[in-house]
């Protein structure tokens, strides 16, 4: 299918769809569950999702015209994972995108608190966010030897831990049609 944009100012590539579970909560918050416009349209035609909201952008092929979905909900509920995936992004999110040695937010990488060369494992309990200068300074030394203990003891976060931290760092792009579905559990102010 070749899609052509009817609206001259918008590109379909800038129109991802927020994907909600059947209970209208995002499939994941961090990273935010987004599909490309092509995947969203495919899911609509396969009758796997309902369109909840649409962009003004229209795509067309020889046989149809369609406004691009901005929010879709799955027709079948998917049980969310209770434990977050051990990924670089989730380590950074757990550590609030800050070096655990100096609190810098620049040039982040991750560090094994107990170096691998000393038997340290690549696990939630041994990996922290670290800026490159601190990571280089610590090298493969034990934290006590170089007086570099992490500010927070590394731990396996819950989905709620990441969700709470993620609210401090919203994605760079939030379409207005998504807002009702992202912060539904935020505390309301009196």
């Amino acid at each position: 299918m070749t899609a052509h944009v009817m609206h001259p100012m918008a590109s379909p590539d800038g129109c991802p769809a927020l994907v909600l579970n059947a209970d209208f909560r995002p499939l994941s918050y961090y990273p935010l569950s987004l599909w490309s416009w092509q995947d969203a349209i495919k899911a609509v035609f396969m009758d796997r999702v309902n369109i909840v909201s649409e962009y003004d952008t229209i795509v067309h092929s020889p046989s149809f015209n369609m406004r691009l979905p901005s929010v879709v909900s799955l027709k079948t509920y998917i049980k969310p994972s209770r434990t977050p995936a051990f990924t670089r992004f989730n380590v950074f999110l757990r550590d609030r995108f800050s070096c655990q040695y100096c609190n810098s937010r620049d040039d982040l990488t991750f560090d094994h608190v107990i170096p691998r060369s000393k038997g340290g494992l690549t696990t939630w309990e041994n990996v922290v966010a670290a800026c490159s200068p601190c990571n280089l300074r610590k090298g493969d030394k034990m934290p006590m030897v170089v007086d570099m203990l992490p500010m927070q003891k590394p731990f396996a976060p819950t989905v709620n831990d990441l969700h709470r931290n993620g609210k401090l760092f919203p994605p760079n792009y939030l379409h207005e049609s998504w807002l009702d579905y992202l912060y539904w559990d935020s505390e309301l102010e009196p």
Side-chain angles (χ1 to χ4, degrees):
M1 168 180 84
T2 304
H4 299 283
V5 180
M6 299 288 283
H7 187 277
M9 298 303 289
S11 162
D13 293 330
C15 299
L18 174 64
V19 184
L20 306 176
N21 211 336
D23 65 356
F24 285 78
R25 296 180 189 179
L27 281 180
S28 71
Y29 285 92
Y30 311 103
L32 190 58
S33 52
L34 300 176
W35 285 349
S36 68
W37 67 270
Q38 296 97 326
D39 289 340
I41 289 174
K42 181 178 176 182
V44 168
F45 280 104
M46 295 177 80
D47 203 30
R48 293 184 179 160
V49 296
N50 293 310
I51 297 174
V52 177
S53 186
E54 299 171 321
Y55 290 106
D56 291 333
T57 304
I58 298 171
V59 294
H60 69 90
S61 75
S63 59
F64 79 96
N65 288 337
M66 178 180 188
R67 288 176 63 187
L68 291 178
S70 64
V71 180
V72 295
S73 67
L74 300 179
K75 289 189 174 189
T76 305
Y77 183 78
I78 294 177
K79 188 174 180 180
S81 172
R82 292 198 170 277
T83 57
F86 180 62
T87 64
R88 181 182 298 255
F89 179 84
N90 283 345
V91 168
F92 289 169
L93 186 58
R94 176 201 65 191
D95 294 345
R96 296 183 176 183
F97 296 94
S98 298
C99 174
Q100 292 301 289
Y101 300 115
C102 74
N103 216 24
S104 171
R105 293 179 178 260
D106 299 325
D107 201 14
L108 286 182
T109 181
F110 68 88
D111 178 62
H112 290 79
V113 177
I114 307 297
R116 287 186 294 178
S117 64
K118 310 270 193 276
L121 302 174
T122 306
T123 62
W124 283 113
E125 295 79 10
N126 191 47
V127 172
V128 295
C131 68
S132 287
C134 283
N135 201 342
L136 285 171
R137 196 177 83 192
K138 182 174 169 289
D140 70 343
K141 298 172 189 78
M142 294 295 281
M144 298 295 250
V145 171
V146 288
D147 196 25
M148 289 182 71
L149 294 173
M151 292 181 203
Q152 149 183 284
K153 183 179 178 186
F155 65 97
T158 64
V159 170
N160 286 338
D161 291 332
L162 295 185
H163 186 170
R164 193 170 36 258
N165 285 355
K167 288 180 181 177
L168 304 173
F169 307 96
N172 292 336
Y173 173 79
L174 294 175
H175 189 263
E176 61 197 25
S177 66
W178 303 353
L179 298 179
D180 286 340
Y181 305 100
L182 293 181
Y183 301 110
W184 58 269
D185 60 345
S186 295
E187 213 171 294
L188 299 176
E189 296 197 20

